[in-house]
mmCIF file of all heavy atoms in Angstrom:
data_model
loop_
_atom_site.group_PDB
_atom_site.id
_atom_site.type_symbol
_atom_site.label_atom_id
_atom_site.label_comp_id
_atom_site.label_asym_id
_atom_site.label_seq_id
_atom_site.Cartn_x
_atom_site.Cartn_y
_atom_site.Cartn_z
ATOM 1 N N PHE A 9 -1.548 0.324 15.286
ATOM 2 C CA PHE A 9 -0.963 -0.896 15.818
ATOM 3 C C PHE A 9 -1.394 -1.036 17.281
ATOM 4 O O PHE A 9 -0.919 -0.295 18.127
ATOM 5 C CB PHE A 9 0.565 -0.903 15.680
ATOM 6 C CG PHE A 9 1.225 -2.104 16.258
ATOM 7 C CD1 PHE A 9 0.660 -3.372 16.212
ATOM 8 C CD2 PHE A 9 2.473 -1.971 16.840
ATOM 9 C CE1 PHE A 9 1.320 -4.481 16.724
ATOM 10 C CE2 PHE A 9 3.142 -3.073 17.376
ATOM 11 C CZ PHE A 9 2.559 -4.320 17.316
ATOM 12 N N ASN A 11 -0.913 -2.979 20.264
ATOM 13 C CA ASN A 11 0.089 -3.936 20.724
ATOM 14 C C ASN A 11 -0.221 -4.370 22.160
ATOM 15 O O ASN A 11 0.097 -3.690 23.104
ATOM 16 C CB ASN A 11 1.453 -3.253 20.659
ATOM 17 C CG ASN A 11 2.568 -4.187 21.030
ATOM 18 O OD1 ASN A 11 2.366 -5.362 21.388
ATOM 19 N ND2 ASN A 11 3.779 -3.717 20.908
ATOM 20 N N THR A 20 4.828 -12.583 19.156
ATOM 21 C CA THR A 20 3.645 -11.982 18.550
ATOM 22 C C THR A 20 3.995 -10.595 17.990
ATOM 23 O O THR A 20 3.642 -10.239 16.900
ATOM 24 C CB THR A 20 2.510 -11.883 19.580
ATOM 25 O OG1 THR A 20 2.303 -13.173 20.167
ATOM 26 C CG2 THR A 20 1.222 -11.422 18.899
ATOM 27 N N ASN A 21 4.691 -9.851 18.830
ATOM 28 C CA ASN A 21 5.120 -8.482 18.450
ATOM 29 C C ASN A 21 6.028 -8.565 17.221
ATOM 30 O O ASN A 21 5.864 -7.757 16.264
ATOM 31 C CB ASN A 21 5.806 -7.805 19.613
ATOM 32 C CG ASN A 21 6.119 -6.353 19.375
ATOM 33 O OD1 ASN A 21 5.608 -5.750 18.433
ATOM 34 N ND2 ASN A 21 6.974 -5.794 20.195
ATOM 35 N N ARG A 22 7.011 -9.445 17.213
ATOM 36 C CA ARG A 22 7.908 -9.596 16.069
ATOM 37 C C ARG A 22 7.140 -9.907 14.804
ATOM 38 O O ARG A 22 7.418 -9.295 13.739
ATOM 39 C CB ARG A 22 8.928 -10.706 16.323
ATOM 40 C CG ARG A 22 10.027 -10.315 17.278
ATOM 41 C CD ARG A 22 11.036 -11.431 17.540
ATOM 42 N NE ARG A 22 11.321 -12.269 16.402
ATOM 43 C CZ ARG A 22 11.587 -13.585 16.490
ATOM 44 N NH1 ARG A 22 11.595 -14.206 17.647
ATOM 45 N NH2 ARG A 22 11.873 -14.299 15.409
ATOM 46 N N LEU A 23 6.195 -10.834 14.883
ATOM 47 C CA LEU A 23 5.436 -11.214 13.708
ATOM 48 C C LEU A 23 4.572 -10.056 13.198
ATOM 49 O O LEU A 23 4.494 -9.773 12.007
ATOM 50 C CB LEU A 23 4.581 -12.436 14.006
ATOM 51 C CG LEU A 23 3.758 -13.052 12.863
ATOM 52 C CD1 LEU A 23 4.603 -13.427 11.662
ATOM 53 C CD2 LEU A 23 3.032 -14.318 13.409
ATOM 54 N N ALA A 24 3.927 -9.353 14.151
ATOM 55 C CA ALA A 24 3.098 -8.211 13.758
ATOM 56 C C ALA A 24 3.928 -7.133 13.099
ATOM 57 O O ALA A 24 3.468 -6.512 12.067
ATOM 58 C CB ALA A 24 2.367 -7.681 15.005
ATOM 59 N N ARG A 25 5.070 -6.834 13.610
ATOM 60 C CA ARG A 25 5.940 -5.778 13.032
ATOM 61 C C ARG A 25 6.409 -6.179 11.644
ATOM 62 O O ARG A 25 6.515 -5.319 10.747
ATOM 63 C CB ARG A 25 7.114 -5.496 13.936
ATOM 64 C CG ARG A 25 6.684 -4.733 15.196
ATOM 65 C CD ARG A 25 7.811 -4.296 16.077
ATOM 66 N NE ARG A 25 7.293 -3.707 17.315
ATOM 67 C CZ ARG A 25 6.824 -2.479 17.449
ATOM 68 N NH1 ARG A 25 6.760 -1.664 16.393
ATOM 69 N NH2 ARG A 25 6.387 -2.059 18.596
ATOM 70 N N ARG A 26 6.641 -7.445 11.422
ATOM 71 C CA ARG A 26 7.040 -7.874 10.084
ATOM 72 C C ARG A 26 5.900 -7.660 9.083
ATOM 73 O O ARG A 26 6.090 -7.252 7.957
ATOM 74 C CB ARG A 26 7.472 -9.335 10.122
ATOM 75 C CG ARG A 26 8.003 -9.804 8.819
ATOM 76 C CD ARG A 26 8.914 -10.954 8.937
ATOM 77 N NE ARG A 26 9.403 -11.320 7.604
ATOM 78 C CZ ARG A 26 9.531 -12.551 7.209
ATOM 79 N NH1 ARG A 26 9.301 -13.567 8.023
ATOM 80 N NH2 ARG A 26 9.956 -12.815 5.980
ATOM 81 N N ILE A 27 4.684 -7.945 9.547
ATOM 82 C CA ILE A 27 3.512 -7.741 8.684
ATOM 83 C C ILE A 27 3.339 -6.262 8.376
ATOM 84 O O ILE A 27 3.112 -5.855 7.239
ATOM 85 C CB ILE A 27 2.253 -8.342 9.372
ATOM 86 C CG1 ILE A 27 2.359 -9.875 9.269
ATOM 87 C CG2 ILE A 27 1.003 -7.810 8.757
ATOM 88 C CD1 ILE A 27 1.378 -10.597 10.162
ATOM 89 N N MET A 28 3.485 -5.422 9.414
ATOM 90 C CA MET A 28 3.338 -3.943 9.136
ATOM 91 C C MET A 28 4.425 -3.433 8.221
ATOM 92 O O MET A 28 4.166 -2.560 7.389
ATOM 93 C CB MET A 28 3.352 -3.221 10.489
ATOM 94 C CG MET A 28 2.069 -3.428 11.278
ATOM 95 S SD MET A 28 2.009 -2.450 12.799
ATOM 96 C CE MET A 28 3.361 -3.129 13.739
ATOM 97 N N ASP A 29 5.639 -3.968 8.347
ATOM 98 C CA ASP A 29 6.699 -3.547 7.408
ATOM 99 C C ASP A 29 6.339 -3.893 5.982
ATOM 100 O O ASP A 29 6.588 -3.126 5.065
ATOM 101 C CB ASP A 29 8.024 -4.233 7.780
ATOM 102 C CG ASP A 29 8.696 -3.669 9.014
ATOM 103 O OD1 ASP A 29 8.294 -2.554 9.454
ATOM 104 O OD2 ASP A 29 9.606 -4.323 9.551
ATOM 105 N N SER A 30 5.664 -5.032 5.801
ATOM 106 C CA SER A 30 5.253 -5.463 4.475
ATOM 107 C C SER A 30 4.107 -4.572 3.972
ATOM 108 O O SER A 30 4.039 -4.285 2.786
ATOM 109 C CB SER A 30 4.794 -6.908 4.547
ATOM 110 O OG SER A 30 4.387 -7.362 3.267
ATOM 111 N N ILE A 35 2.961 4.191 11.223
ATOM 112 C CA ILE A 35 2.434 3.378 12.296
ATOM 113 C C ILE A 35 2.203 4.244 13.536
ATOM 114 O O ILE A 35 3.068 4.947 13.988
ATOM 115 C CB ILE A 35 3.374 2.230 12.647
ATOM 116 C CG1 ILE A 35 3.539 1.315 11.418
ATOM 117 C CG2 ILE A 35 2.854 1.418 13.833
ATOM 118 C CD1 ILE A 35 4.649 0.286 11.566
ATOM 119 N N GLU A 37 1.339 3.445 17.307
ATOM 120 C CA GLU A 37 1.254 2.295 18.226
ATOM 121 C C GLU A 37 0.499 2.680 19.479
ATOM 122 O O GLU A 37 0.735 3.721 20.103
ATOM 123 C CB GLU A 37 2.636 1.811 18.587
ATOM 124 C CG GLU A 37 2.643 0.583 19.472
ATOM 125 C CD GLU A 37 4.032 -0.008 19.670
ATOM 126 O OE1 GLU A 37 4.998 0.391 18.981
ATOM 127 O OE2 GLU A 37 4.123 -0.920 20.531
ATOM 128 N N ARG A 39 -0.413 0.843 23.169
ATOM 129 C CA ARG A 39 -0.132 -0.300 24.045
ATOM 130 C C ARG A 39 -1.193 -0.283 25.158
ATOM 131 O O ARG A 39 -1.074 0.496 26.085
ATOM 132 C CB ARG A 39 1.271 -0.214 24.619
ATOM 133 C CG ARG A 39 2.370 -0.265 23.508
ATOM 134 C CD ARG A 39 3.746 -0.223 24.074
ATOM 135 N NE ARG A 39 4.062 -1.362 24.900
ATOM 136 C CZ ARG A 39 4.495 -2.527 24.445
ATOM 137 N NH1 ARG A 39 4.690 -2.713 23.169
ATOM 138 N NH2 ARG A 39 4.740 -3.506 25.299
ATOM 139 N N VAL A 83 -3.757 -3.284 12.879
ATOM 140 C CA VAL A 83 -3.056 -4.521 13.210
ATOM 141 C C VAL A 83 -3.134 -4.699 14.730
ATOM 142 O O VAL A 83 -2.752 -3.811 15.461
ATOM 143 C CB VAL A 83 -1.579 -4.500 12.734
ATOM 144 C CG1 VAL A 83 -0.841 -5.769 13.192
ATOM 145 C CG2 VAL A 83 -1.514 -4.383 11.215
#
Side-chain angles (χ1 to χ4, degrees):
F9 177 36
N11 185 355
T20 308
N21 187 14
R22 283 179 37 213
L23 183 55
R25 288 186 186 281
R26 185 156 181 219
I27 287 167
M28 288 184 296
D29 286 346
S30 181
I35 298 169
E37 183 172 350
R39 297 182 64 84
V83 175

